[in-house]
Amino acid sequence: MLLILHPNTQESDPAFKKTMTHLQQLSGVTIKQHEVRGQLQSLREIYLLGDTYALDLEEIESLPAVEKVIRISDEYRILGRHKDQQRRSGFHYQGLAFDQDSLNIFAGLCAVDNPKHVEEMLRALKANGLSCTRMGAYKPRTNPYAFQGHGKDCLPWVFDLAGKYDIKVIAMEVTHESHMQEIDRALAEAGRPCGVIMQIGTRNTQNFELLKAIGKQNEYPALLKRGFGITLNESLNAAEYLASEGNSQVIFCLRGMKSEFGAPHRNMVDFAQVPTVKRLTRMPVCIDPSHSVGSRDVAPDGVLELCHATAQGVLAGANMVLVDFHPAPTKALVDGPQALTLNELEPFLKDMEIAKKAYLERVKVWQSAASDD
Ligand code: PEP
Ligand code: MN
């Protein structure tokens, strides 16, 4: 059972104390508290776990600090929507909203290679009014002899350059909890010129120890990639691991499924599930068209298939796009064949704007049809 308390309830409030005293007397019930921090207000949620079926909903609802009571299923306890369309989604980070209504574009390098390319990339982002990027410093590679990323050595100059070009948030994959500490240290030493979202790659979706480590801290949000060979339910449960440890600032990323049936795409594009994840959970949903489509193939209409796939995700309500760009794709150390060029950034953004507007129009049509019923 989930109890949502009145906004801005503090632990020192008499109403809160009275409520807790009552709850602590319930037998067979464990109490877990959770704080959801928004831009303007914080919401305190209380989870009653265990023997809750016998509890009287009205009695709990009448406790002084309680605004609302929801019976929740066992799955996705914290991140789940539990059939309540009004529950708030997402979080704020570095002054930006990440929720089920926002759309943040994270264009950038799959892998950090050298300062020249990083600077060219960031300069292009700033020129196009963007303030987020992706930058891979730790690369999980199939081949042990392939370039593994510059790791912590590149962090000082990457963060300095981010500050120089007003980049607020970098999505950066971590494959071990020590990487999070390295990033934290480098950010502190650089004077925290930007923020970082800890990206968990598809190969680590069920690395439960990594999930727990990232879930135990609240400083950095997490971007969890869907596992490419497991069910959606298993991947959503992986996201819930992060929240169950205390960090509910989680973005869920669809990035395609490993299947021969997706060929000639690198993975089977799964963006039809954007609305599904939004219905089942309160997480903002990201799409990664680069790792899904995996090529620069152009359709007969002159549009890259990768851009068609991105638009399909945005038309379905995606809240974030993680996309590979590179100033010189043929020189990229990782995933060059799927990188868009800097000349393609402006048309890409225009395309996204059209798709976002069309999405909002579509929603209006269906909402007015529903209200006519
Ligand atoms: C990436 O985003 O660079 C990446 C390796 O993605 P994925 O984990 O989805 O393969
Ligand atoms: Mn890549």
Side-chain angles (χ1 to χ4, degrees):
M1 185 177 279
L2 163 62
L3 283 54
I4 298 173
L5 305 191
H6 296 299
N8 297 320
T9 298
Q10 306 297 325
E11 285 191 359
S12 54
D13 294 350
F16 179 81
K17 287 185 186 154
K18 207 168 160 196
T19 301
M20 290 307 278
T21 310
H22 183 95
L23 297 176
Q24 275 152 1
Q25 283 161 1
L26 301 172
S27 68
V29 171
T30 313
I31 303 172
K32 228 176 159 179
Q33 276 199 63
H34 198 80
E35 204 183 337
V36 187
R37 268 177 277 155
Q39 180 99 313
L40 300 174
Q41 60 180 22
S42 73
L43 276 188
R44 207 175 278 275
E45 299 182 339
I46 294 181
Y47 289 81
L48 301 183
L49 308 175
D51 209 0
T52 61
Y53 280 94
L55 296 180
D56 180 351
L57 212 88
E58 276 176 23
E59 183 188 319
I60 305 284
E61 215 151 30
S62 70
L63 294 171
V66 176
E67 177 160 300
K68 192 172 181 181
V69 179
I70 301 172
R71 280 210 188 269
I72 53 174
S73 53
D74 263 357
E75 280 195 320
Y76 331 135
R77 278 184 190 168
I78 298 171
L79 295 173
R81 194 163 264 296
H82 306 299
K83 298 194 173 71
D84 183 343
Q85 304 306 334
Q86 303 310 318
R87 285 190 77 196
R88 54 177 295 160
S89 67
F91 56 91
H92 279 80
Y93 182 58
Q94 297 285 113
L96 299 176
F98 292 89
D99 56 38
Q100 289 194 344
D101 297 314
S102 57
L103 176 61
N104 293 295
I105 311 282
F106 281 63
L109 305 184
C110 174
V112 168
D113 45 14
N114 60 54
K116 179 175 175 285
H117 287 152
V118 171
E119 181 149 18
E120 283 170 2
M121 184 72 237
L122 301 184
R123 191 185 297 127
L125 295 178
K126 186 173 164 65
N128 282 278
L130 296 179
S131 53
C132 299
T133 190
R134 57 156 295 147
M135 287 286 155
Y138 307 91
K139 297 306 301 176
R141 304 304 302 280
T142 304
N143 183 336
Y145 306 110
F147 173 63
Q148 304 282 311
H150 288 307
K152 68 175 187 319
D153 294 345
C154 69
L155 300 179
W157 54 265
V158 169
F159 294 152
D160 280 348
L161 285 170
K164 181 172 169 189
Y165 291 98
D166 296 327
I167 297 298
K168 293 198 174 91
V169 187
I170 302 178
M172 186 174 275
E173 179 165 359
V174 291
T175 57
H176 190 272
E177 67 174 286
S178 61
H179 299 158
M180 189 170 57
Q181 286 139 17
E182 289 173 4
I183 289 170
D184 183 51
R185 212 169 302 134
L187 276 175
E189 280 165 12
R192 300 203 177 271
C194 62
V196 170
I197 291 182
M198 300 292 159
Q199 180 177 325
I200 300 151
T202 193
R203 292 157 188 81
N204 275 313
T205 309
Q206 286 188 313
N207 180 341
F208 298 117
E209 296 313 312
L210 179 64
L211 296 175
K212 285 186 206 166
I214 294 175
K216 276 196 172 73
Q217 55 81 42
N218 259 303
E219 172 94 19
Y220 302 103
L223 173 68
L224 180 77
K225 293 275 193 102
R226 169 192 204 160
F228 56 25
I230 57 176
T231 64
L232 181 64
N233 171 274
E234 287 165 326
S235 289
L236 294 178
N237 267 298
E240 184 72 15
Y241 257 92
L242 294 157
S244 75
E245 294 290 335
N247 189 355
S248 55
Q249 305 171 92
V250 186
I251 303 164
F252 189 79
C253 182
L254 296 169
R255 49 82 68 213
M257 302 299 293
K258 211 181 222 340
S259 163
E260 289 306 318
F261 295 117
H265 289 167
R266 183 172 175 182
N267 286 286
M268 182 87 162
V269 181
D270 52 356
F271 301 164
Q273 289 182 328
V274 167
T276 316
V277 178
K278 288 170 84 168
R279 171 173 60 82
L280 294 173
T281 79
R282 296 176 297 140
M283 288 185 278
V285 181
C286 175
I287 51 167
D288 178 343
S290 305
H291 291 82
S292 303
V293 174
S295 78
R296 293 185 38 85
D297 289 328
V298 181
D301 55 17
V303 182
L304 273 78
E305 284 178 29
L306 192 155
C307 298
H308 272 302
T310 316
Q312 287 157 16
V314 174
L315 266 178
N319 307 114
M320 173 169 161
V321 178
L322 192 71
V323 54
D324 290 3
F325 274 76
H326 197 283
T330 53
K331 292 192 186 140
L333 297 178
V334 185
D335 284 347
Q338 69 192 25
L340 299 178
T341 65
L342 300 189
N343 288 338
E344 289 166 332
L345 183 56
E346 197 183 327
F348 180 84
L349 295 174
K350 273 192 193 146
D351 193 1
M352 291 313 96
E353 218 172 284
I354 294 167
K356 174 77 188 194
K357 268 196 203 137
Y359 164 69
L360 294 173
E361 288 295 315
R362 292 182 54 234
V363 169
K364 254 195 246 157
V365 167
W366 284 100
Q367 285 185 350
S368 78
S371 65
D372 289 346
D373 279 351

